[in-house]
């Protein structure tokens, strides 16, 4: 009953904070340890490093020199912006893996072209670059599709109906 008395703007702010979950704990950066191995991924030469946290290997990353990859760190600005947007909008609900690969770019000083994740010392996943190319993107891809209709989304809590109209 008290929640219903809160002004809608304040309710929206409270729901946004709830959706973010608990504040992220500031963690020490992971340890990056070169393995001395080199490889080629997607035709791009790279050197392998291990990413450790608290002494446990979490990733093996094959890192290509920016020049060899044919891109710059600035080319990835949109990915960083998308990452920040995701943190703001879904926060802890996103279920992203710890040590997001984007977080490693500054530490690695190169482009991760292969990332193997580990849990409990066992390999879990592998992501790899297959091809890097530059090409123009048709602006029509960003136009609102014909027939699109804006709809309001409301979040409800059991026992309460439509407590946050317009969310989403």
């Amino acid at each position: 009953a008290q929640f219903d008395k809160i002004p809608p703007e304040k309710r929206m702010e409270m729901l946004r904070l709830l959706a973010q979950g608990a504040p992220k704990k500031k963690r020490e950066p992971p340890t990056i340890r070169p393995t001395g191995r080199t490889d080629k991924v997607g035709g791009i030469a790279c050197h392998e490093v291990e990413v450790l946290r608290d002494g446990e290997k979490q990733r093996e990353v094959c890192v290509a020199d920016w020049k060899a990859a044919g891109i710059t760190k600035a080319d990835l600005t949109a990915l960083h912006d998308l990452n920040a947007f995701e943190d703001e909008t879904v926060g802890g609900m996103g279920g992203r893996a710890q040590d997001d690969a984007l977080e490693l770019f500054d530490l690695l000083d190169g482009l991760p072209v292969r990332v193997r994740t580990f849990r409990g010392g066992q390999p879990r996943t592998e992501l790899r670059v297959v091809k890097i190319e530059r090409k123009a993107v048709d602006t029509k891809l960003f136009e609102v599709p014909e027939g699109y209709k804006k709809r309001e989304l409301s979040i409800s809590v059991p026992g309460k109906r439509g407590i946050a109209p317009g969310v989403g």
Side-chain angles (χ1 to χ4, degrees):
Q2 294 296 323
F3 194 75
D4 291 337
K5 295 177 186 176
I6 298 171
E9 304 81 34
K10 191 68 173 171
R11 274 190 268 170
M12 294 298 293
E13 178 64 15
M14 291 173 70
L15 288 168
R16 185 185 65 76
L17 291 171
L18 285 170
Q20 286 180 348
K24 291 182 181 178
K25 294 178 183 175
K26 186 71 175 166
R27 300 190 315 170
E28 290 297 316
T31 302
I32 308 296
R33 183 170 61 195
T35 66
R37 297 186 302 263
T38 59
D39 202 353
K40 266 193 168 184
V41 177
I44 303 167
C46 56
H47 64 278
E48 291 186 359
V49 298
E50 293 178 336
V51 178
L52 302 110
R53 187 170 300 277
D54 299 325
E56 183 180 346
K57 179 166 69 170
Q58 293 187 330
R59 300 186 192 288
E60 284 179 357
V61 183
C62 207
V63 184
D65 175 81
W66 292 110
K67 191 172 185 175
I71 64 172
T72 67
K73 200 180 265 193
D75 291 330
L76 302 176
T77 300
L79 285 176
H80 283 281
D81 292 348
L82 182 61
N83 190 48
F85 173 75
E86 181 182 354
D87 283 346
E88 288 175 21
T89 55
V90 293
M93 292 174 39
R96 289 191 335 195
Q98 58 188 347
D99 291 334
D100 184 42
L102 287 175
E103 147 184 76
L104 296 173
F105 284 159
D106 290 334
L107 297 172
L108 297 175
D109 193 29
L111 180 69
V113 291
R114 183 180 61 228
V115 179
R116 293 180 179 138
T117 60
F118 289 77
R119 186 177 299 153
Q122 298 301 310
R124 302 290 292 184
T125 62
E126 179 175 302
L127 302 172
R128 62 177 48 230
V129 169
V130 175
K131 179 179 173 183
I132 297 175
E133 67 180 346
R134 291 185 182 272
K135 65 183 197 178
V137 177
D138 188 348
T139 57
K140 289 181 181 180
L141 290 172
F142 300 98
E143 292 177 6
V144 176
E146 191 174 320
Y148 171 83
K149 292 182 181 161
K150 183 177 179 179
R151 295 189 295 174
E152 295 290 322
L153 171 70
S154 66
I155 297 175
S156 60
V157 174
K160 303 284 182 190
R161 290 196 300 175
I163 62 172
V167 172

